[in-house]
Amino acid sequence: MRAFNFIDSSQSRFNAELIRICEIPAPPFKERERGSYFAARFTELGLADVHTDSEGNVIGFYRGESEEPLLVLSAHLDTVFPEGTDVKVRRVGSRLCAPGIADDAAGLAALVGLIQTLNWAEIGLRGSIAFVATVGEEGEGDLRGARHLFSEGRLAGRVSGFISFDGTTIEFITHQALGSRRYRVMLKGPGGHSWGDFGVVNPVYALGRVIARMADYHAPQEPRTTYNIGRIEGGESVNVIPQSASMDVDLRSVSETELSRLEEFLLAAVDRATRDENAARGAAAGKNLQVELTMIGARPSGETPRDISLVRVAVDASRAMGVKPVLNRASTDANIPISLGIPAITIGAGGMSGDSHRLSEWYDPVGRETGYKRALLLALGMVGIN
Ligand SMILES: [Zn+2]
């Protein structure tokens, strides 16, 4: 196949593209510069109707004979790294090292590589492919790009299948969406001197009560449900009654029911702990604790059935490339279409990588061609060749 030859002979081109993408910083909520690059790149590569939507997603079409089926191939622009992080790529042996190089510069580079392959081999499609670079996949971005894509704008209501390239591992076909809810719990009191104001409500005590309750929650193994208090903060000094204390809580479950149960438990624990602390001290000093609950994330769970054609074609395309597919579950951009009943999966773009979300993140292009070829077979299988 001509297209496969192109992929095999383009390794240095693909590396150069990957490095270029990775070296454009894309901190959370600041994906604009990398987005502009993609808008220009999509245009350069001849995609039709290239535009950036109001959320920041960059979209371009590789048109076939018809607009249906319309397959989305996507990857996310944002990284987890804050502004100012050094994203210069260093070569160490065959490895390319830089924060964000695999997650998800590798996925973004695959979009470009696939467009180049389609162009070079002059592949005519029956349906069409929308190439999309999304914003806000990571952390507090809370899938805002994918959410927007399916609720507003030109693609809403038109997508028949969605594939997100995230990271490198080609064995995993993520067809189940792991749901989560995230909260910031902030407790505030009047504060005061540890000696002089003794008896005043203490937000840290209340926070401690919530934490103790959460630690005793029996999360079921089946359906798998987890929770984590990942960050706590509060207080000024050893001899000061704190004015505030806060924590960030991550709740996850494969089941919406279990997720809601866990969420209710957390909210009840906060309520109970606040009332207990107020009862113990609030009345005495005449000042109660104030609670501020902020939901900092909510991702729906769900599943693309494994007998649906997108999953079956993904499995077949993997096997055709000698890859043993493993169906699994994760929290990715695909959560949104999955929760809407639109067939969606997340797959790796190929190559090897490690230290994801760490400054020491690395990528090795070994085996990348298998990932690109598998992706091409899958895409063509879904939209059809003319
Ligand atoms: Zn990612």
Side-chain angles (χ1 to χ4, degrees):
M1 195 172 169
R2 271 161 58 83
F4 280 15
N5 293 338
F6 175 79
I7 291 172
D8 285 329
S9 62
S10 298
Q11 295 305 311
S12 56
R13 182 199 321 255
F14 295 155
N15 278 341
E17 183 68 42
L18 174 64
I19 292 168
R20 225 152 117 192
I21 295 167
C22 183
E23 291 186 345
I24 306 169
F29 298 95
K30 287 173 183 156
E31 303 97 332
R32 186 181 298 243
E33 194 187 342
R34 192 179 278 184
S36 305
Y37 171 77
F38 265 85
R41 201 78 181 96
F42 280 176
T43 305
E44 221 170 70
L45 291 166
L47 293 190
D49 199 11
V50 175
H51 64 283
T52 302
D53 69 21
S54 60
E55 194 67 40
N57 299 311
V58 182
I59 303 159
F61 295 85
Y62 189 96
R63 288 233 165 89
E65 193 181 59
S66 163
E67 302 242 308
E68 283 174 43
L70 178 61
L71 177 71
V72 171
L73 297 185
S74 83
H76 64 87
L77 289 165
D78 57 314
T79 69
V80 296
F81 302 100
E83 227 168 352
T85 302
D86 181 6
V87 289
K88 183 102 188 100
V89 177
R90 289 175 304 113
R91 284 178 189 268
V92 181
S94 62
R95 288 185 177 183
L96 301 172
C97 306
I101 184 107
D103 183 12
D104 191 21
L108 291 165
L111 298 184
V112 173
L114 288 170
I115 300 167
Q116 288 171 325
T117 306
L118 289 167
N119 282 343
W120 192 85
E122 296 177 327
I123 299 176
L125 305 180
R126 203 166 300 152
S128 295
I129 301 176
F131 285 89
V132 182
T134 63
V135 293
E137 193 272 343
E138 300 282 4
E140 290 179 32
D142 205 26
L143 312 182
R144 66 190 174 94
R147 257 180 241 278
H148 184 85
L149 207 64
F150 287 93
S151 59
E152 290 166 61
R154 286 178 233 179
L155 287 179
R158 292 175 53 205
V159 177
S160 44
F162 177 91
I163 299 168
S164 168
F165 296 103
D166 207 336
T168 56
T169 317
I170 51 174
E171 283 78 13
F172 294 131
I173 297 173
T174 303
H175 70 118
Q176 294 166 300
L178 175 59
S180 66
R181 306 244 208 290
R182 290 170 180 173
Y183 280 96
R184 178 158 299 150
V185 180
M186 169 73 80
L187 301 169
K188 290 180 173 167
H193 191 280
S194 62
W195 171 262
D197 297 306
F198 183 69
V200 161
V201 285
N202 188 324
V204 167
Y205 295 171
L207 200 69
R209 292 175 198 263
V210 183
I211 294 169
R213 278 180 197 280
M214 285 303 292
D216 285 338
Y217 185 81
H218 289 287
Q221 298 217 325
E222 226 13 87
R224 185 166 158 82
T225 303
T226 67
Y227 55 87
N228 182 51
I229 296 171
R231 198 190 64 85
I232 62 170
E233 203 176 270
E236 290 82 35
S237 178
V238 66
N239 60 348
V240 177
I241 298 168
Q243 284 189 297
S244 70
S246 75
M247 64 175 181
D248 290 352
V249 191
D250 174 61
L251 314 173
R252 299 179 184 227
S253 180
V254 300
S255 145
E256 281 290 319
T257 312
E258 281 303 329
L259 192 53
S260 297
R261 198 194 307 278
L262 178 57
E263 182 180 28
E264 273 164 35
F265 183 88
L266 168 68
L267 301 183
V270 171
D271 185 58
R272 178 73 191 276
T274 314
R275 281 192 286 121
D276 287 352
E277 177 62 15
N278 284 337
R281 270 166 285 276
K287 286 230 166 106
N288 282 336
L289 284 176
Q290 305 297 315
V291 185
E292 285 170 23
L293 267 174
T294 316
M295 190 181 249
I296 54 175
R299 301 176 174 214
S301 50
E303 176 170 349
T304 297
R306 55 176 70 206
D307 57 352
I308 248 171
S309 69
L310 179 62
V311 180
R312 282 193 285 113
V313 175
V315 167
D316 290 347
S318 305
R319 291 207 177 113
M321 293 311 305
V323 176
K324 266 201 187 139
V326 178
L327 298 183
N328 80 340
R329 178 187 322 265
S331 180
T332 66
D333 270 346
N335 279 44
I336 300 299
I338 287 175
S339 74
L340 297 170
I342 298 166
I345 54 172
T346 295
I347 56 177
M352 283 171 65
S353 63
D355 289 2
S356 174
H357 292 197
R358 275 177 258 168
L359 293 173
S360 52
E361 189 170 338
W362 58 268
Y363 174 85
D364 191 321
V366 61
R368 172 177 51 199
E369 64 284 355
T370 309
Y372 280 23
K373 290 174 190 172
R374 190 267 302 262
L376 183 68
L377 286 181
L378 169 55
L380 296 180
M382 293 313 294
V383 295
I385 303 176
N386 213 357

